[in-house]
């Protein structure tokens, strides 16, 4: 796939912002957490950070960088009892995805469900349930990570609606991770 000069520049801006925001967040929040001798940082990345797409390399690279920032920061801040983790959802029905699928359906004269299934078949064939995930399905992981005691330096990847935590599969329900 070829990218125009403009799309490369915009892609670079998006990728740069995704990474730069982490530095800003850590510069602002971490001093307070160090003073409190406890903190919890939960970064939201994307499945694309571990399973990149062919059509958005700038996004994939920035999300992979976020996962690596998380692991690095978790090591740097563990001594201060600051826990740093990443949740990396797959194909989740957000407002952005809903709008994209509606636009695709209108453009091609198909139903919303047909547009969803076409996207899954083309871009996410590994999702066995053949449906987008729900925000609530991912939110429970965030709640778990925000509740002490928790983990640090972990990446929670929602793929195939099974929860993958540091290469161990759990799920499809978040309650299963409490059995570890």
């Amino acid at each position: 796939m070829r990218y125009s000069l403009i799309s490369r520049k915009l892609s670079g801006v998006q990728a740069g912002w995704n990474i730069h925001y982490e530095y800003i967040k850590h510069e602002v929040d971490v001093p307070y957490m160090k003073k409190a001798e406890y903190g919890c940082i939960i970064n939201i990345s994307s499945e694309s950070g571990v399973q990149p797409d062919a059509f958005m390399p700038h996004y994939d690279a920035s999300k992979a960088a976020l996962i690596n920032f998380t692991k690095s920061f978790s090591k740097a801040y563990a001594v201060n009892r600051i826990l740093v983790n990443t949740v990396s959802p797959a194909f989740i029905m957000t407002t952005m995805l809903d709008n994209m699928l509606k636009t695709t359906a209108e453009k091609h004269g198909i139903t919303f469900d047909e547009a969803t299934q076409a996207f899954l078949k083309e871009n996410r064939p590994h999702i066995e349930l053949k449906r987008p995930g729900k925000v609530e399905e991912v939110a429970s992981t965030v709640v778990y990570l925000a509740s002490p005691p928790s983990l640090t330096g972990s990446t929670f990847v929602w793929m195939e609606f099974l929860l993958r935590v540091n290469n161990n599969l759990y799920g499809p329900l978040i309650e299963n991770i409490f059995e570890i």
Side-chain angles (χ1 to χ4, degrees):
M1 176 180 287
R2 292 185 176 197
Y3 296 97
S4 70
L5 180 60
I6 292 173
S7 68
R8 280 193 304 246
K9 285 183 179 180
L10 292 175
S11 298
V13 168
Q14 179 188 12
W17 177 249
N18 282 336
I19 295 165
H20 182 70
Y21 176 72
E22 287 310 301
Y23 284 114
I24 294 170
K25 180 170 61 175
H26 288 271
E27 286 178 6
V28 172
D29 296 339
V30 169
Y32 294 102
M33 293 179 187
K34 283 182 176 179
K35 186 175 180 179
E37 297 180 1
Y38 179 77
C40 182
I41 298 170
I42 303 167
N43 293 315
I44 306 296
S45 182
S46 171
E47 171 202 23
S48 298
V50 293
Q51 185 168 328
D53 298 297
F55 56 89
M56 50 186 191
H58 56 287
Y59 177 83
D60 301 341
S62 69
K63 295 305 180 179
L66 178 56
I67 291 168
N68 282 297
F69 275 136
T70 298
K71 290 189 177 295
S72 180
F73 287 138
S74 73
K75 292 176 182 181
Y77 301 142
V79 69
N80 302 104
R81 297 184 51 221
I82 299 172
L83 309 176
V84 189
N85 293 288
T86 304
V87 177
S88 298
F91 187 59
I92 305 300
M93 187 55 76
T94 61
T95 303
M96 181 178 77
L97 179 60
D98 184 71
N99 290 336
M100 180 195 78
L101 292 171
K102 284 177 184 173
T103 300
T104 299
E106 289 172 12
K107 180 179 176 183
H108 296 287
I110 58 177
T111 68
F112 180 82
D113 289 338
E114 290 170 329
T116 301
Q117 291 307 310
F119 184 89
L120 282 164
K121 184 177 180 182
E122 174 100 9
N123 300 292
R124 296 292 187 271
H126 60 280
I127 296 179
E128 298 302 326
L129 292 180
K130 306 298 182 213
R131 69 165 177 84
K134 299 174 186 170
V135 172
E136 297 82 11
E137 293 171 322
V138 177
S140 58
T141 304
V142 174
V143 169
Y144 168 74
L145 290 171
S147 306
S150 192
L151 309 168
T152 193
S154 296
T155 300
F156 291 74
V157 182
W158 283 93
M159 283 195 264
E160 301 176 20
F161 299 93
L162 292 173
L163 179 62
R164 181 179 297 275
V165 183
N166 297 338
N167 292 321
N168 296 310
L169 283 176
Y170 303 94
L173 300 174
I174 190 65
E175 287 83 3
N176 291 339
I177 69 171
F178 294 108
E179 297 172 5
I180 298 174

